[in-house]
PDB file of all heavy atoms in Angstrom:
ATOM      1  N   GLU A  48    -153.024 -74.701 -28.065  1.00 98.00           N
ATOM      2  CA  GLU A  48    -154.054 -74.189 -28.971  1.00 98.00           C
ATOM      3  C   GLU A  48    -155.481 -74.439 -28.482  1.00 98.00           C
ATOM      4  O   GLU A  48    -156.422 -74.295 -29.239  1.00 98.00           O
ATOM      5  CB  GLU A  48    -153.847 -74.783 -30.359  1.00 98.00           C
ATOM      6  CG  GLU A  48    -152.570 -74.278 -30.994  1.00 98.00           C
ATOM      7  CD  GLU A  48    -152.346 -74.774 -32.412  1.00 98.00           C
ATOM      8  OE1 GLU A  48    -152.547 -75.984 -32.655  1.00 98.00           O
ATOM      9  OE2 GLU A  48    -151.966 -73.974 -33.263  1.00 98.00           O
ATOM     10  N   SER A  50    -156.570 -77.212 -25.901  1.00 97.00           N
ATOM     11  CA  SER A  50    -156.962 -78.375 -25.081  1.00 97.00           C
ATOM     12  C   SER A  50    -156.981 -78.020 -23.588  1.00 97.00           C
ATOM     13  O   SER A  50    -157.843 -78.501 -22.850  1.00 97.00           O
ATOM     14  CB  SER A  50    -156.053 -79.582 -25.354  1.00 97.00           C
ATOM     15  OG  SER A  50    -154.802 -79.423 -24.744  1.00 97.00           O
ATOM     16  N   GLY A 107    -144.792 -81.172 -24.669  1.00 97.00           N
ATOM     17  CA  GLY A 107    -143.429 -80.749 -24.984  1.00 97.00           C
ATOM     18  C   GLY A 107    -143.387 -79.406 -25.687  1.00 97.00           C
ATOM     19  O   GLY A 107    -142.494 -78.591 -25.417  1.00 97.00           O
ATOM     20  N   SER A 108    -144.334 -79.157 -26.567  1.00 98.00           N
ATOM     21  CA  SER A 108    -144.279 -77.903 -27.343  1.00 98.00           C
ATOM     22  C   SER A 108    -144.446 -76.693 -26.439  1.00 98.00           C
ATOM     23  O   SER A 108    -143.696 -75.712 -26.546  1.00 98.00           O
ATOM     24  CB  SER A 108    -145.360 -77.915 -28.433  1.00 98.00           C
ATOM     25  OG  SER A 108    -145.071 -78.944 -29.355  1.00 98.00           O
ATOM     26  N   ASP A 111    -141.411 -76.434 -24.057  1.00 98.00           N
ATOM     27  CA  ASP A 111    -140.191 -75.970 -24.737  1.00 98.00           C
ATOM     28  C   ASP A 111    -140.274 -74.485 -25.057  1.00 98.00           C
ATOM     29  O   ASP A 111    -139.272 -73.754 -24.968  1.00 98.00           O
ATOM     30  CB  ASP A 111    -139.960 -76.772 -26.022  1.00 98.00           C
ATOM     31  CG  ASP A 111    -139.486 -78.188 -25.716  1.00 98.00           C
ATOM     32  OD1 ASP A 111    -139.394 -78.530 -24.517  1.00 98.00           O
ATOM     33  OD2 ASP A 111    -139.202 -78.934 -26.664  1.00 98.00           O
ATOM     34  N   THR A 147    -149.745 -82.305 -19.795  1.00 98.00           N
ATOM     35  CA  THR A 147    -151.031 -82.844 -20.261  1.00 98.00           C
ATOM     36  C   THR A 147    -150.865 -83.974 -21.279  1.00 98.00           C
ATOM     37  O   THR A 147    -151.854 -84.517 -21.755  1.00 98.00           O
ATOM     38  CB  THR A 147    -151.906 -81.728 -20.878  1.00 98.00           C
ATOM     39  OG1 THR A 147    -151.248 -81.231 -22.055  1.00 98.00           O
ATOM     40  CG2 THR A 147    -152.146 -80.590 -19.898  1.00 98.00           C
ATOM     41  N   SER A 156    -136.589 -82.608 -18.321  1.00 96.00           N
ATOM     42  CA  SER A 156    -135.327 -82.458 -19.064  1.00 96.00           C
ATOM     43  C   SER A 156    -134.814 -81.022 -19.039  1.00 96.00           C
ATOM     44  O   SER A 156    -135.562 -80.085 -18.741  1.00 96.00           O
ATOM     45  CB  SER A 156    -135.511 -82.907 -20.523  1.00 96.00           C
ATOM     46  OG  SER A 156    -136.071 -81.868 -21.305  1.00 96.00           O
ATOM     47  N   ASP A 158    -133.828 -79.645 -21.803  1.00 96.00           N
ATOM     48  CA  ASP A 158    -133.802 -79.383 -23.253  1.00 96.00           C
ATOM     49  C   ASP A 158    -135.032 -78.616 -23.707  1.00 96.00           C
ATOM     50  O   ASP A 158    -136.098 -78.699 -23.082  1.00 96.00           O
ATOM     51  CB  ASP A 158    -133.773 -80.706 -24.037  1.00 96.00           C
ATOM     52  CG  ASP A 158    -132.606 -81.575 -23.623  1.00 96.00           C
ATOM     53  OD1 ASP A 158    -131.503 -81.043 -23.508  1.00 96.00           O
ATOM     54  OD2 ASP A 158    -132.822 -82.784 -23.388  1.00 96.00           O
ATOM     55  N   LYS A 169    -135.559 -76.479 -37.269  1.00 92.00           N
ATOM     56  CA  LYS A 169    -135.920 -76.994 -35.943  1.00 92.00           C
ATOM     57  C   LYS A 169    -134.643 -77.351 -35.204  1.00 92.00           C
ATOM     58  O   LYS A 169    -133.900 -78.225 -35.639  1.00 92.00           O
ATOM     59  CB  LYS A 169    -136.831 -78.222 -36.101  1.00 92.00           C
ATOM     60  CG  LYS A 169    -137.443 -78.682 -34.796  1.00 92.00           C
ATOM     61  CD  LYS A 169    -138.473 -79.773 -35.008  1.00 92.00           C
ATOM     62  CE  LYS A 169    -139.133 -80.139 -33.684  1.00 92.00           C
ATOM     63  NZ  LYS A 169    -140.085 -81.226 -33.785  1.00 92.00           N
ATOM     64  N   LEU A 188    -155.329 -86.035 -16.708  1.00 98.00           N
ATOM     65  CA  LEU A 188    -155.329 -84.970 -17.725  1.00 98.00           C
ATOM     66  C   LEU A 188    -155.046 -85.525 -19.119  1.00 98.00           C
ATOM     67  O   LEU A 188    -155.377 -84.905 -20.122  1.00 98.00           O
ATOM     68  CB  LEU A 188    -154.282 -83.896 -17.396  1.00 98.00           C
ATOM     69  CG  LEU A 188    -154.502 -83.082 -16.123  1.00 98.00           C
ATOM     70  CD1 LEU A 188    -153.383 -82.065 -15.941  1.00 98.00           C
ATOM     71  CD2 LEU A 188    -155.851 -82.368 -16.161  1.00 98.00           C
ATOM     72  N   THR A 191    -157.969 -87.088 -22.233  1.00 97.00           N
ATOM     73  CA  THR A 191    -158.655 -86.423 -23.350  1.00 97.00           C
ATOM     74  C   THR A 191    -157.847 -86.481 -24.653  1.00 97.00           C
ATOM     75  O   THR A 191    -158.275 -85.951 -25.673  1.00 97.00           O
ATOM     76  CB  THR A 191    -158.921 -84.942 -23.012  1.00 97.00           C
ATOM     77  OG1 THR A 191    -157.684 -84.340 -22.598  1.00 97.00           O
ATOM     78  CG2 THR A 191    -159.942 -84.793 -21.886  1.00 97.00           C
ATOM     79  N   HIS A 207    -136.718 -92.197 -26.935  1.00 98.00           N
ATOM     80  CA  HIS A 207    -135.766 -91.595 -25.986  1.00 98.00           C
ATOM     81  C   HIS A 207    -134.927 -92.665 -25.298  1.00 98.00           C
ATOM     82  O   HIS A 207    -133.763 -92.436 -24.965  1.00 98.00           O
ATOM     83  CB  HIS A 207    -136.516 -90.763 -24.941  1.00 98.00           C
ATOM     84  CG  HIS A 207    -137.142 -89.540 -25.538  1.00 98.00           C
ATOM     85  ND1 HIS A 207    -138.131 -88.824 -24.929  1.00 98.00           N
ATOM     86  CD2 HIS A 207    -136.918 -88.928 -26.735  1.00 98.00           C
ATOM     87  CE1 HIS A 207    -138.486 -87.809 -25.714  1.00 98.00           C
ATOM     88  NE2 HIS A 207    -137.761 -87.865 -26.814  1.00 98.00           N
ATOM     89  N   HIS A 276    -133.299 -88.799 -33.743  1.00 97.00           N
ATOM     90  CA  HIS A 276    -133.994 -87.550 -33.409  1.00 97.00           C
ATOM     91  C   HIS A 276    -133.626 -86.424 -34.380  1.00 97.00           C
ATOM     92  O   HIS A 276    -134.491 -85.679 -34.830  1.00 97.00           O
ATOM     93  CB  HIS A 276    -133.691 -87.134 -31.968  1.00 97.00           C
ATOM     94  CG  HIS A 276    -134.759 -87.566 -31.010  1.00 97.00           C
ATOM     95  ND1 HIS A 276    -134.983 -88.885 -30.719  1.00 97.00           N
ATOM     96  CD2 HIS A 276    -135.704 -86.867 -30.327  1.00 97.00           C
ATOM     97  CE1 HIS A 276    -136.008 -88.972 -29.880  1.00 97.00           C
ATOM     98  NE2 HIS A 276    -136.463 -87.761 -29.624  1.00 97.00           N
TER      99      HIS A 276
HETATM  100  O1  NZQ B 724    -152.184 -77.261 -28.370  1.00 56.29           O
HETATM  101  P1  NZQ B 724    -153.194 -78.080 -27.657  1.00 56.29           P
HETATM  102  O2  NZQ B 724    -154.583 -77.675 -27.942  1.00 56.29           O
HETATM  103  O3  NZQ B 724    -152.907 -78.207 -26.186  1.00 56.29           O
HETATM  104  O4  NZQ B 724    -153.110 -79.586 -28.303  1.00 56.29           O
HETATM  105  C1  NZQ B 724    -151.978 -80.437 -28.170  1.00 56.29           C
HETATM  106  C2  NZQ B 724    -151.236 -80.624 -29.495  1.00 56.29           C
HETATM  107  O5  NZQ B 724    -152.089 -80.474 -30.593  1.00 56.29           O
HETATM  108  C3  NZQ B 724    -152.491 -81.824 -27.897  1.00 56.29           C
HETATM  109  N1  NZQ B 724    -152.693 -82.110 -26.480  1.00 56.29           N
HETATM  110  C4  NZQ B 724    -151.794 -82.016 -25.475  1.00 56.29           C
HETATM  111  N2  NZQ B 724    -152.338 -82.446 -24.331  1.00 56.29           N
HETATM  112  C5  NZQ B 724    -153.625 -82.789 -24.617  1.00 56.29           C
HETATM  113  C6  NZQ B 724    -153.850 -82.557 -25.985  1.00 56.29           C
HETATM  114  N3  NZQ B 724    -155.052 -82.812 -26.571  1.00 56.29           N
HETATM  115  C7  NZQ B 724    -156.027 -83.302 -25.791  1.00 56.29           C
HETATM  116  N4  NZQ B 724    -155.867 -83.558 -24.475  1.00 56.29           N
HETATM  117  C8  NZQ B 724    -154.689 -83.318 -23.850  1.00 56.29           C
HETATM  118  N5  NZQ B 724    -154.537 -83.611 -22.557  1.00 56.29           N
HETATM  119  O6  NZQ B 724    -151.472 -82.683 -28.365  1.00 56.29           O
HETATM  120  C9  NZQ B 724    -150.819 -82.088 -29.467  1.00 56.29           C
HETATM  121  C10 NZQ B 724    -149.329 -82.290 -29.344  1.00 56.29           C
HETATM  122  O7  NZQ B 724    -148.795 -81.561 -28.258  1.00 56.29           O
HETATM  123  P2  NZQ B 724    -147.216 -81.367 -28.158  1.00 56.29           P
HETATM  124  O8  NZQ B 724    -146.942 -80.546 -26.955  1.00 56.29           O
HETATM  125  O9  NZQ B 724    -146.708 -80.888 -29.477  1.00 56.29           O
HETATM  126  O10 NZQ B 724    -146.721 -82.871 -27.943  1.00 56.29           O
HETATM  127  P3  NZQ B 724    -145.391 -83.466 -27.393  1.00 56.29           P
HETATM  128  O11 NZQ B 724    -145.411 -83.497 -25.915  1.00 56.29           O
HETATM  129  O12 NZQ B 724    -145.189 -84.702 -28.138  1.00 56.29           O
HETATM  130  O13 NZQ B 724    -144.246 -82.410 -27.786  1.00 56.29           O
HETATM  131  C11 NZQ B 724    -143.622 -82.438 -29.045  1.00 56.29           C
HETATM  132  C12 NZQ B 724    -142.531 -81.404 -29.122  1.00 56.29           C
HETATM  133  O14 NZQ B 724    -141.508 -81.678 -28.141  1.00 56.29           O
HETATM  134  C13 NZQ B 724    -140.242 -81.728 -28.815  1.00 56.29           C
HETATM  135  C14 NZQ B 724    -140.603 -82.253 -30.163  1.00 56.29           C
HETATM  136  O15 NZQ B 724    -139.594 -82.048 -31.107  1.00 56.29           O
HETATM  137  C15 NZQ B 724    -141.862 -81.447 -30.474  1.00 56.29           C
HETATM  138  O16 NZQ B 724    -141.539 -80.148 -30.923  1.00 56.29           O
HETATM  139  N6  NZQ B 724    -139.297 -82.512 -28.006  1.00 56.29           N
HETATM  140  C16 NZQ B 724    -138.829 -81.954 -26.876  1.00 56.29           C
HETATM  141  C17 NZQ B 724    -137.914 -82.587 -26.075  1.00 56.29           C
HETATM  142  C18 NZQ B 724    -137.411 -81.956 -24.839  1.00 56.29           C
HETATM  143  N7  NZQ B 724    -137.708 -80.691 -24.606  1.00 56.29           N
HETATM  144  O17 NZQ B 724    -136.707 -82.566 -24.015  1.00 56.29           O
HETATM  145  C19 NZQ B 724    -137.366 -83.902 -26.420  1.00 56.29           C
HETATM  146  C20 NZQ B 724    -138.142 -84.612 -27.470  1.00 56.29           C
HETATM  147  O18 NZQ B 724    -137.317 -85.546 -28.099  1.00 56.29           O
HETATM  148  C21 NZQ B 724    -138.761 -83.745 -28.507  1.00 56.29           C
HETATM  149  O19 NZQ B 724    -137.841 -83.438 -29.542  1.00 56.29           O
END
Side-chain angles (χ1 to χ4, degrees):
E48 293 183 315
S50 76
S108 295
D111 287 2
T147 65
S156 83
D158 304 315
K169 190 173 184 183
L188 295 180
T191 53
H207 292 163
H276 263 68

